[in-house]
Every structure is written in structure tokens, then in C-alpha cells.
Amino acid sequence: MKSKTLVFFRTCLILIGICYLLSVYRSWAYIESISKATGILVFALFYFIHSKRKHVFFGSGLVCFALTELPKVYFKFDYNVFSIYTNTLSILGYLFFISYLFSHLNFKSLVRKYWLHVLFLVFISSYIVINLNSIIFSGRGIPLFSSIYIIETLYNICILGLMSLSFLNFLHHDDKRSFLIFIISIFFCLAEIIQVPFLFLANKNSLHIAYSLLNFSGYYFVYLYITTRYNKQLKVLH
């Protein structure tokens, strides 16, 4: 029964992934949004049905990311109109993933053992957040500490926070599942960073393709994470 379920979900995700990549290449924005939202929801369903180690925070994070795509399906998407909605849901999704990592860590022990790594990650993350904010708010006339400013800043902090915490999680556990979480966070973080110039500087198709490929790669590793017990190719990591 498990193998049949795995084959069914794998087939669905492959078809949705092909549809997503084709719609990105052909600039079919509506089909892209539908396939992305559907794909992430299928991932969440796949996780809760198939994964042996279910955790509500991980599945909830996937659901939040799927819900951020819904305005693009039902409305003509305008970032300035929907930014608060999409960013708030994305922040919630990232916080679920961060909570998922915290549930597997003894943070006090982690800080004592890797305090130098923590300081370095805080410094680098702060530097990147400041530079991202300078790009996002340049020339937009958005006052400091307005709701949009706070949400955008929290969004950037959550992205870098997830990647930093996943790196510490990998150092602490040093196994294939922590490695996959770290790789997933890298792809998602790079996708979000590339999205900044795509949205605010140059609306170029090449940037959108790069963003989509990074997202696609991130969810490929999400699939590997969910199915680690069944992937022979991951045995070298353990």
C-alpha cells in the first residue's frame, strides 16, 4: 500500500513539476500559479500521508506556502496590493519551519558548543538583511517602522534565520535528514534573494527562470526529505 501511494504521489508531483517548468518557460503566469499552489499542497498532503516522522510544524509550513499562491490564481496579481497578505503567510510558513528545527534542538547547548558560528551567522545575516532592505525600499517612499517596512524586514529575517538555524542543525546532528533540511533552506533562501531584483530592480525573464529553478530544486529536496527511508541514493550520506 505504501509503495502504491508513493508511486501515485511521485507521478502527480512529476506531472505538476513539468507543468510548472513549462509554464515558467512559456510565461504562462496563470498556469504557473495554479501548478505551484497545487504542487505545494500536494507536497503537504504527501507529507502527512506518507512520512513516517510526521510533524505538524513542517506540514503547516508547506500549507502556508501554498496559500501564498492563491491570490495569483484568483486575481490579477499585483505585488503592491497583495504584499502584506503573501509576506505575512510566508513569514508564518518560515516560522513553522524554524519551530520545526527548534523542536529538534537544545538551543542552549547549541549556543555553548557553536557560539562562534552563531556570532558569525548573526553578523552575516544582519548584513544581508540591511542590504536587502536598501534594495527593496530604495525610492519607494515607505516610512521606517510602517507595517510594510516591518513585515518586509521580518520576512527577510525569517529567510536568513531559517538558513542559519538549518546550518546549526546540520552541525549538531550531522545526518542525512539535517543535511537535506540545510540544502532545502539554501535553495529557498537563494530563490528569495533572486526574487528581490526581479521584483524591484529589473523584471527580466532570466531572473524569473532562475528563481523558479531554485524553488523547483528546493521542493525536489523536500521530496527527498519526505522519502529518505526509500531513497537508495541517500545512503551515502548516512
Side-chain angles (χ1 to χ4, degrees):
M1 184 66 183
K2 274 285 186 181
S3 60
K4 290 182 179 179
T5 305
L6 179 62
V7 170
F8 171 75
F9 276 104
R10 180 188 295 161
T11 304
C12 289
L13 290 170
I14 289 172
L15 292 174
I16 293 169
I18 292 171
C19 183
Y20 173 70
L21 292 176
L22 182 62
S23 63
V24 170
Y25 178 73
R26 300 289 296 178
S27 299
W28 297 334
Y30 184 69
I31 302 298
E32 178 188 342
S33 299
I34 292 176
S35 57
K36 186 176 180 182
T38 304
I40 302 173
L41 282 173
V42 170
F43 264 113
L45 185 62
F46 179 43
Y47 175 74
F48 283 119
I49 291 176
H50 183 78
S51 181
K52 184 179 180 180
R53 307 176 185 177
K54 298 177 182 67
H55 200 293
V56 67
F57 287 151
F58 191 89
S60 298
L62 291 175
V63 171
C64 285
F65 286 152
L67 292 177
T68 61
E69 298 299 313
L70 289 182
K72 301 176 187 178
V73 175
Y74 295 105
F75 306 99
K76 184 177 180 181
F77 187 76
D78 184 336
Y79 180 82
N80 294 320
V81 174
F82 291 104
S83 62
I84 292 180
Y85 167 81
T86 56
N87 286 347
T88 300
L89 272 177
S90 294
I91 288 169
L92 189 59
Y94 282 120
L95 287 176
F96 276 127
F97 282 130
I98 289 170
S99 299
Y100 173 72
L101 290 175
F102 268 121
S103 69
H104 292 80
L105 292 170
N106 184 328
F107 193 67
K108 290 183 179 179
S109 174
L110 191 72
V111 171
R112 283 198 299 267
K113 189 174 182 180
Y114 300 110
W115 64 271
L116 191 59
H117 298 75
V118 172
L119 287 177
F120 177 76
L121 289 169
V122 168
F123 174 78
I124 292 297
S125 298
S126 300
Y127 175 79
I128 295 174
V129 167
I130 290 169
N131 280 275
L132 285 175
N133 280 359
S134 67
I135 295 172
I136 293 170
F137 299 115
S138 178
R140 293 180 67 192
I142 295 175
L144 287 173
F145 307 115
S146 63
S147 59
I148 294 176
Y149 182 90
I150 292 171
I151 289 173
E152 290 279 6
T153 302
L154 284 175
Y155 184 79
N156 294 331
I157 290 172
C158 286
I159 295 166
L160 275 301
L162 175 63
M163 189 174 70
S164 300
L165 193 60
S166 66
F167 175 66
L168 295 172
N169 180 63
F170 174 56
L171 289 179
H172 182 69
H173 291 291
D174 192 22
D175 58 17
K176 62 187 178 185
R177 290 177 68 82
S178 61
F179 174 76
L180 286 172
I181 285 287
F182 178 49
I183 295 298
I184 291 166
S185 68
I186 287 176
F187 276 113
F188 285 165
C189 184
L190 289 176
E192 297 292 353
I193 290 174
I194 283 182
Q195 191 180 32
V196 171
F198 169 68
L199 288 174
F200 300 103
L201 295 180
N203 190 0
K204 291 184 178 179
N205 194 48
S206 58
L207 289 173
H208 183 52
I209 290 174
Y211 164 78
S212 301
L213 287 174
L214 287 167
N215 253 317
F216 181 86
S217 300
Y219 282 107
Y220 170 72
F221 282 98
V222 170
Y223 171 82
L224 293 182
Y225 181 76
I226 295 172
T227 60
T228 46
R229 290 181 302 146
Y230 302 94
N231 276 291
K232 294 180 182 178
Q233 59 188 307
L234 295 175
K235 288 184 178 178
V236 294
L237 299 175
H238 193 56

